[in-house]
Amino acid sequence: MTVLLALPPLAVTTPASAATTRTAAPYCYEEPSQPTADVSDLKARFTASNWMQTLQTMYRRRWPSGEALAVAQARDQYWTQFVRTNSFEAFAESMMVAIHEETHMWDLDPARTRWNVHTAAWINASRQDTTVPLHDGFPRKEIIPLITDRLSDSMDGIYLRDRTQGEYHLQGVLAELNAGLTGLPAVTVVQEYIRGIGASNARDIAATNLRYLLLYLRVAKSRHPDYWTKIKNEPKLRELVLTQFLRTAYWLEKSAPYTGKLGSPDADRITATNYSAENIAILEEFTGRRVRTDAQKNCTL
């Protein structure tokens, strides 16, 4: 198991004013992907020296948002710490970590993010959110009492119980969720090439970090009412939270057939808790939107 430290194509997305208005029309989160597009030629030509070209072309065919992120981050010096080049299969498997971490690199660039003040989020090729207000917040470890199972225990130990990580505020919660929501599609669209366990908790990461966000909002309202009022009055933040909720549903559904390879059964169990009455209530109160809980969980009502 890998533990991470720390559109015309998307015409269905809506502006902030619509996403936080109860009378807004329903919409669904979607983004282009062609997971059956032929990449056999890329596999045949793959070498340790052409991995970046391969990465960009592979995602151009199968997941354009991945190509766009790779292009934006092409000059980043840290790619080689995350990308495995000993075989095409190892390369494909390493994309969960590589794309996850490069999302952090884009999101947390000081040109875009001022820690605990405002954040940025690479959503997809057509949308990148910037200067999303955070108003500081409180340590994310405060959500621990609301976790009454052991479904996310391994990640709880890293992100909530760790002496340093547990002190991170909303900035940390949002950053990990956004990176998880790029790492998951990065391997979902190349799942047939994954042979090992390097991407085996991709679905768990997405489900768990959504859990953290929902519980963080609940604690904000119950224990930090002044902070709750501040963030609830930020349209860009409300829109981001709604998008991430729908986006998580979208990619968990797309990746569901590959449970075992891309996640454990606990991912679906965590997701079930994310749809508890208390969690849906806090999401809808915060965003001002009702969400679907049927087969179209990536949509609002």
Side-chain angles (χ1 to χ4, degrees):
M1 176 176 289
T2 301
V3 176
L4 302 175
L5 298 174
L7 302 150
L10 196 59
V12 291
T13 49
T14 60
S17 59
T20 55
T21 303
R22 290 184 182 276
T23 58
Y27 81 103
C28 301
Y29 181 88
E30 298 173 350
E31 65 178 284
S33 64
Q34 294 289 338
T36 60
D38 185 20
V39 294
S40 58
D41 58 317
L42 302 180
K43 180 179 184 296
R45 297 198 304 266
F46 179 75
T47 68
S49 61
N50 71 359
W51 64 266
M52 177 56 82
Q53 179 185 0
T54 301
L55 189 161
Q56 293 182 14
T57 306
M58 176 177 74
Y59 285 140
R60 183 181 312 137
R61 297 177 188 179
R62 292 199 169 189
W63 177 49
S65 291
E67 180 200 8
L69 177 62
V71 169
Q73 289 295 103
R75 296 180 181 274
D76 185 69
Q77 61 181 316
Y78 295 106
W79 277 103
T80 54
Q81 295 185 21
F82 314 126
V83 176
R84 294 169 57 197
T85 59
N86 50 305
S87 71
F88 186 81
E89 289 78 7
F91 168 75
E93 183 178 302
S94 72
M95 285 300 99
M96 188 195 82
V97 173
I99 295 296
H100 178 119
E101 297 298 344
E102 286 300 329
T103 300
H104 280 320
M105 298 298 181
W106 192 93
D107 290 357
L108 302 179
D109 187 309
R112 302 183 186 93
T113 289
R114 184 179 173 190
W115 193 260
N116 289 337
V117 176
H118 60 78
T119 194
W122 179 286
I123 305 297
N124 54 52
S126 297
R127 175 177 165 188
Q128 298 89 47
D129 289 8
T130 56
T131 58
V132 179
L134 298 173
H135 298 288
D136 197 9
F138 53 90
R140 61 184 171 188
K141 67 182 180 183
E142 291 189 26
I143 72 174
I144 292 175
L146 296 181
I147 300 176
T148 58
D149 56 51
R150 298 181 63 84
L151 298 173
S152 56
D153 193 59
S154 62
M155 280 181 274
D156 298 345
I158 295 170
Y159 297 114
L160 305 181
R161 295 192 292 269
D162 178 80
R163 182 176 300 179
T164 298
Q165 293 269 347
E167 295 295 331
Y168 287 3
H169 294 184
L170 183 58
Q171 175 76 70
V173 176
L174 290 172
E176 287 302 333
L177 176 57
N178 197 52
L181 290 176
T182 51
L184 177 56
V187 285
T188 298
V189 300
V190 293
Q191 59 77 30
E192 76 268 35
Y193 295 105
I194 295 175
R195 305 284 186 262
I197 62 170
S200 62
N201 60 346
R203 301 184 79 244
D204 303 68
I205 289 170
T208 296
N209 282 293
L210 180 62
R211 160 181 273 195
Y212 293 166
L213 176 57
L214 295 170
L215 298 184
Y216 196 92
L217 293 175
R218 286 170 57 184
V219 172
K221 182 182 178 184
S222 64
R223 297 186 58 186
H224 304 275
D226 291 343
Y227 181 64
W228 168 257
T229 299
K230 287 180 181 179
I231 59 175
K232 196 168 181 294
N233 285 323
E234 292 293 353
K236 291 179 72 172
L237 180 56
R238 294 199 307 270
E239 182 184 11
L240 178 60
V241 168
L242 179 64
T243 296
Q244 301 297 56
F245 183 87
L246 302 177
R247 187 178 170 210
T248 304
Y250 181 77
W251 283 111
L252 284 177
E253 180 184 8
K254 293 283 188 184
S255 60
Y258 316 118
T259 294
K261 180 184 291 188
L262 302 184
S264 76
D266 284 344
D268 291 324
R269 298 184 183 112
I270 295 166
T271 295
T273 71
N274 289 342
Y275 283 82
S276 70
E278 298 89 347
N279 286 335
I280 295 299
I282 199 70
L283 174 77
E284 294 184 339
E285 180 178 355
F286 184 75
T287 64
R289 296 299 301 268
R290 295 180 60 205
V291 295
R292 295 184 63 158
T293 58
D294 56 7
Q296 290 185 279
K297 290 183 174 66
N298 62 310
C299 300
T300 64
L301 288 167

